[in-house]
Amino acid sequence: MTPHDLADEVSTLFSLPDLVIRACAVMDSPTATAQDLVEVVELDTNLAATVLRLANSALYAGRGRIDTLSRAVVLIGHNALRDLVLATSAVTSFQGIPKEFVDMDSFWENSTTCAVIARLIAGRGRLREGESLFLSGLMHGIGRLVFYVRRPDDYREVLELSRATELSLSESEARVFGFNYAELGAALLERWGLPERLYMPVRHQLVPLSAPDFTRETAILHLATEMTCDIAPCFKTACESEPYVPDPTAIPCMQLLGLTPAAMTEISLDAMAASLEVLEIIRPTTSVTY
């Protein structure tokens, strides 16, 4: 079995709604105007409200009050809006995950924090198409949800192997399945028709400097996932975020991107301020304790 084989099992089960497909087609068209996008977004009142709330969130702070959908579309931009449409759809697609594997509120808190950090790092580096990293960050762990849904018994073996040895979860996944959650998540995003700039960083997030392409994007995603693990407990306990201490894999990523530990700590603080707000926007049913 390959990652694509397992992704095929869920790519139709968790397919993207017709509206999302239509919106992405419009947004991918080189001749599409802002008004074309507005007309598609207006077809879904929940999506329209989400776009307006995002435009007025901390991610776009300092732009003034955005009170019309057309201004919000122009502010957010075609690529970022496409990512938002896909993100909100993906967040609501996975339902009924066994609680023994994951608390879905915590999963999306973690994923949203990673998305916000990835976008903030990309903004610091003035990375072209950097806003697309928001979706890569949000979807970085989606492969685990596929494992939980389609292979729950085998994943119990993964958990037992990890507990009984010093292997990480991703290493245990590779032992049991022959591939890990990052490879599986990338395969699903590819099956959904997302561009390489989104799924390649997800595929190589654990070994970022081995990525054949999109090395900077992959380095950003790796840093975002590591930083998220450091600050995630602070949401539940109201504790102070510790200064970021890079692991051995993160150091060359920071060097590649020209980032200092002080800059990473600043990004962590900014992310904590923005993540809860963004999570409430894209998954308003989430109950967050802080």
Side-chain angles (χ1 to χ4, degrees):
M1 182 176 61
T2 69
H4 286 90
D5 292 334
L6 190 48
D8 284 340
E9 294 184 22
V10 298
S11 61
T12 53
L13 181 63
F14 299 115
S15 59
L16 300 177
D18 290 341
L19 174 65
V20 173
I21 295 173
R22 178 176 174 184
C24 290
V26 171
M27 285 179 261
D28 285 342
S29 170
T31 60
T33 66
Q35 186 56 36
D36 293 331
L37 302 186
V38 169
E39 290 174 0
V40 173
V41 172
E42 283 178 334
L43 295 174
D44 187 317
T45 55
N46 288 332
L47 178 59
T50 298
V51 169
L52 275 172
R53 293 182 67 193
L54 185 71
N56 285 286
S57 72
L59 283 184
Y60 295 92
R63 309 294 181 88
R65 178 69 184 172
I66 306 299
D67 53 10
T68 67
L69 198 54
S70 58
R71 287 187 63 198
V73 167
V74 171
L75 171 63
I76 294 173
H78 287 208
N79 287 338
L81 183 59
R82 180 186 194 273
D83 296 348
L84 172 65
V85 170
L86 289 166
T88 53
S89 176
V91 166
T92 57
S93 292
F94 285 85
Q95 305 291 339
I97 305 293
K99 291 186 180 298
E100 67 177 291
F101 293 127
V102 64
D103 173 82
M104 289 304 291
D105 285 352
S106 294
F107 178 87
W108 288 119
E109 287 168 28
N110 178 286
S111 299
T112 302
T113 302
C114 181
V116 169
I117 292 174
R119 185 185 182 281
L120 291 173
I121 296 175
R124 286 234 173 187
R126 302 184 184 279
L127 189 69
R128 186 177 180 184
E129 305 287 356
E131 289 193 339
S132 67
L133 278 160
F134 181 90
L135 183 58
S136 294
L138 192 70
M139 298 290 101
H140 81 278
I142 201 169
R144 288 231 160 98
L145 299 187
V146 179
F147 277 139
Y148 302 153
V149 169
R150 301 303 297 171
R151 296 293 188 275
D153 291 337
D154 290 329
Y155 208 83
R156 291 185 184 94
E157 184 180 343
V158 170
L159 295 175
E160 291 170 4
L161 178 62
S162 183
R163 280 193 289 262
T165 65
E166 294 185 354
L167 295 175
S168 66
L169 274 181
S170 59
E171 291 170 330
S172 298
E173 290 163 354
R175 289 280 186 93
V176 173
F177 294 103
F179 51 87
N180 59 42
Y181 77 96
E183 297 166 284
L184 178 55
L188 178 59
L189 299 181
E190 185 179 0
R191 285 291 187 259
W192 277 350
L194 302 189
E196 280 190 309
R197 62 184 169 83
L198 294 179
Y199 68 76
M200 288 297 284
V202 172
R203 177 171 294 158
H204 297 283
Q205 60 182 290
L206 299 174
V207 280
L209 299 186
S210 71
D213 298 297
F214 307 101
T215 308
R216 288 171 62 83
E217 290 87 346
T218 308
I220 287 173
L221 184 58
H222 177 79
L223 291 176
T225 59
E226 292 297 308
M227 293 171 68
T228 297
C229 292
D230 285 346
I231 70 175
C234 301
F235 289 132
K236 296 294 186 184
T237 63
C239 65
E240 290 290 332
S241 177
E242 296 291 332
Y244 175 65
V245 179
D247 66 12
T249 305
I251 292 173
C253 292
M254 291 170 59
Q255 292 172 341
L256 175 67
L257 298 167
L259 293 169
T260 65
M264 300 297 280
T265 299
E266 290 177 12
I267 290 169
S268 294
L269 294 174
D270 291 342
M272 289 191 69
S275 293
L276 294 176
E277 181 183 13
V278 175
L279 177 65
E280 177 61 24
I281 291 170
I282 66 173
R283 194 168 188 263
T285 58
T286 300
S287 175
V288 182
T289 303
Y290 62 97

